[in-house]
Amino acid sequence: MRQARRNAFWRSPATRAVLVLMVLVLGGLLVAQWGVHERDRLAARYPMTLPWLTSLCQPLGCHFEHVRQIESVVIDSSSFAKRLGNFYAFDMVLKNNADIPVAVPALELSLTDAREAVVSRRVFLPRDWPDSPTHLPAGGSVSVSLRLALSDQGLSSMSGYRALVFYP
C-alpha cells in the first residue's frame, strides 16, 4: 500500500511539473554560473553577449578583463643592444596567435654570462612599459622598446640575455 502511494506521488502531474521546473531553474543557474566564470572569454569571442554579461555581473560586482592565454603569445623577435655608457636598449615584438584579443603579459628579462648563468634579472609589468597597450589584438603584434640604465656591477661578464613572457 505504501509503495503504491509513493509511486502515485512521483507520477502525479503536480509533482512532475515541480520537478521539471526545478530542473529548468537549476540548469539556468548553472548556465549563468558558467557565464560569469567564462565572462572574459565569452565577451572576447562573442561581443554581442556583452550587454547580457554586464547585466549578469552588475549585481555580483564582477568586472571584465582581457583573456589570459599565454600559449598564444610569442616573442616574435627581440634584441638587446648597448647604447652610450651604461645605457641599453631592449626591443621586442610580441605576437598574438589567437583569434581573440588577449591580455598583455609581463616580461622577465635575464642578463646572462658566457655559461648561461644569470647575472641580473628584472620583471617588467605591462604598466611599467612605455606606451603599454591594453591588449594584444587578435592575430596581431605589438612592438615594445625598453631603455635601461644598468650599473657596472657584475655586467662586465654579461654576454647574452633571455626574455620570457608570463602572466603574474
Side-chain angles (χ1 to χ4, degrees):
M1 185 87 133
R2 288 183 192 168
Q3 186 68 25
R5 270 192 238 143
R6 240 184 246 135
N7 287 343
F9 172 77
W10 289 110
R11 290 189 178 146
S12 73
T15 303
R16 296 268 173 139
V18 168
L19 289 175
V20 167
L21 181 65
M22 284 178 55
V23 166
L24 292 175
V25 167
L26 292 175
L29 287 173
L30 182 63
V31 168
Q33 180 181 5
W34 175 80
V36 168
H37 185 265
E38 294 291 321
R39 66 187 176 274
D40 299 331
R41 193 170 307 279
L42 286 170
R45 190 163 303 277
Y46 308 107
M48 64 279 210
T49 62
L50 196 56
W52 180 79
L53 291 169
T54 303
S55 66
L56 185 63
C57 276
Q58 195 171 20
L60 300 175
C62 57
H63 60 282
F64 293 92
E65 294 179 354
H66 290 286
V67 176
R68 292 180 170 206
Q69 194 170 316
I70 197 65
E71 65 274 6
S72 298
V73 179
V74 295
I75 298 175
D76 199 33
S77 64
S78 67
S79 67
F80 187 80
K82 185 171 184 167
R83 297 294 179 215
L84 297 172
N86 290 339
F87 293 98
Y88 293 82
F90 177 73
D91 299 310
M92 74 173 172
V93 176
L94 286 177
K95 185 175 181 185
N96 176 12
N97 291 326
D99 58 351
I100 59 173
V102 297
V104 176
L107 166 70
E108 178 186 288
L109 180 62
S110 301
L111 305 178
T112 60
D113 62 11
R115 293 184 310 230
E116 293 292 316
V118 175
V119 175
S120 179
R121 177 179 293 146
R122 169 106 191 259
V123 171
F124 297 93
L125 298 175
R127 66 176 174 259
D128 300 334
W129 303 358
D131 303 324
S132 174
T134 58
H135 66 281
L136 298 175
S141 59
V142 171
S143 296
V144 177
S145 294
L146 299 174
R147 301 299 175 246
L148 309 169
L150 305 174
S151 67
D152 265 344
Q153 196 174 27
L155 293 182
S156 58
S157 63
M158 183 184 72
S159 65
Y161 70 95
R162 271 187 300 227
L164 171 74
V165 291
F166 68 97
Y167 289 117

